[in-house]
Amino acid sequence: MIKKITLVFVATAIFMSCESKKEVSKEESNVSYAKFGDSISSENAMTNSEMMKKFASLKEGDTLSVKFKSSINEVCQKKGCWMTLDLADDKEVFVKFKDYGFFVPKNAQEKEVIVNGKAFVSIESVDVLKHYAKDAGKSQAAIDSITEPKVTYSFMADGVLIAK
């Protein structure tokens, strides 16, 4: 009789420990996001490495509708009207928001983000690059050092999720 009680107790303990582990991993995967722009889901988002491979295959004038996950490197400090996201190979993507219709928090650096929209490659003029540097609060010396156009990985987001 004691063996049966011990066996039931051990089986119950094992079952309970498995259930609690499931709950922990479920909580870890449930990231809470703040939504900006159109409503999007976090499901089926590419990684930033996968997105970098897509950008590498684009030529100027090409567009690609995608959703990907990354981390925010920088946000416009005037309004939150643009941000840069980390890509693989020390590259970044410059993100603007469709129809200037929404902005993101100016303190969102280093947060996880999921963006949905259109990816494209563009060439930014010196004047535009200087404008962006000024918006980012860069020093005058840094602004003055911009002397050549830059090939830019760009993204027009219609929906953004930022981890809370």
Side-chain angles (χ1 to χ4, degrees), residues 57-64 119-121:
S57 69
L58 294 177
K59 298 181 295 283
E60 189 173 15
D62 293 347
T63 60
L64 182 64
F120 57 99
V121 176

Side-chain angles (χ1 to χ4, degrees), residues 44-61:
N44 301 319
M46 289 189 293
T47 66
N48 60 347
S49 297
E50 292 168 326
M51 190 64 227
M52 182 62 222
K53 289 176 186 171
K54 298 282 185 186
F55 270 120
S57 69
L58 294 177
K59 298 181 295 283
E60 189 173 15

Side-chain angles (χ1 to χ4, degrees), residues 75-121:
V75 176
C76 170
Q77 293 301 296
K78 299 250 184 212
K79 295 183 197 177
C81 58
W82 56 261
M83 62 184 170
T84 60
L85 307 182
D86 184 49
L87 289 173
D89 305 325
D90 293 325
K91 303 286 186 197
E92 288 185 323
V93 57
F94 186 81
V95 180
K96 293 187 203 178
F97 309 112
K98 185 178 176 187
D99 299 329
Y100 213 58
F102 61 95
F103 305 116
V104 296
K106 294 184 279 187
N107 65 345
Q109 288 91 339
E110 298 179 13
K111 291 192 177 182
E112 178 182 295
V113 65
I114 297 172
V115 293
N116 187 77
K118 298 207 182 291
F120 57 99
V121 176

Side-chain angles (χ1 to χ4, degrees), residues 64-82:
L64 182 64
S65 294
V66 292
K67 176 171 52 173
F68 75 99
K69 181 188 291 190
S70 187
S71 60
I72 300 172
N73 288 342
E74 193 173 15
V75 176
C76 170
Q77 293 301 296
K78 299 250 184 212
K79 295 183 197 177
C81 58
W82 56 261

